[in-house]
Amino acid sequence: MLGLTRVNHIGLRVSDFETSRDFYAKLGFQYVTGPSGPEPVAIVEHPSGININFILNAAKPEDQDAKATNILMDIATKHTGYTHVALEVEDAELTIRQLAELGISLSAEPMTHPTGTSLFIRDPDNNVIEFIEYTGLKHLKS
């Protein structure tokens, strides 16, 4: 359909480039280029090929009304939009240990569901990142 081959990148609006770059570096993302362009963008990439474009035009936390709120996840009104990114991992338990070693805490208890086990964290701008040990959908089909 439409000749799609893969997801090229994730665009993530952030409030502070250095803080975001340093956080995502803990997860294995490497700085590539930027910031550059009229809406400044900086690019980081993981060895797996996952690419994130930091869009550097977000309001600084001190200028925001709700500093620690993710409007798509943390309020009662459910707005439309992307709520999180899910990154597949080989081993959920190992990922929990590695995150702890990095000083990154889970934002919720691990969750086992029909397609695997999911872990959730928040980045410095309160964006949700899911790590999923994916077991697949084959066993769900009748």
Side-chain angles (χ1 to χ4, degrees):
M1 180 165 126
L2 300 179
L4 298 177
T5 59
R6 66 184 189 101
V7 173
N8 181 271
H9 67 272
I10 300 161
L12 186 60
R13 182 169 285 118
V14 301
S15 61
D16 185 85
F17 168 60
E18 290 81 12
T19 301
S20 295
R21 180 196 60 209
D22 294 348
F23 177 84
Y24 282 88
K26 289 181 181 180
L27 302 179
F29 287 83
Q30 300 165 352
Y31 170 78
V32 176
T33 189
S36 61
E39 297 287 337
V41 173
I43 300 171
V44 295
E45 187 170 80
H46 191 272
S48 67
I50 299 168
N51 180 298
I52 299 177
N53 288 3
F54 294 139
I55 303 162
L56 307 172
N57 61 5
K60 299 289 182 204
E62 59 271 12
D63 297 332
Q64 296 177 25
D65 292 332
K67 294 178 184 170
T69 302
N70 175 323
I71 193 168
L72 293 175
M73 297 295 287
D74 299 332
I75 64 172
T77 302
K78 299 303 178 198
H79 294 274
T80 59
Y82 294 104
T83 60
H84 68 284
V85 61
L87 306 175
E88 194 168 320
V89 297
E90 292 179 3
D91 185 322
E93 289 299 320
L94 175 61
T95 302
I96 291 171
R97 289 193 304 274
Q98 291 172 327
L99 290 169
E101 289 168 6
L102 294 168
I104 300 172
S105 58
L106 299 181
S107 59
E109 291 296 316
M111 179 176 58
T112 300
H113 47 80
T115 59
T117 300
S118 294
L119 322 166
F120 298 89
I121 65 171
R122 297 283 181 116
D123 78 359
D125 287 299
N126 229 11
N127 295 300
V128 176
I129 303 167
E130 174 183 357
F131 296 100
I132 180 169
E133 181 181 331
Y134 185 68
T135 58
L137 298 172
K138 295 177 190 170
H139 66 282
L140 296 177
K141 297 178 182 175
S142 338

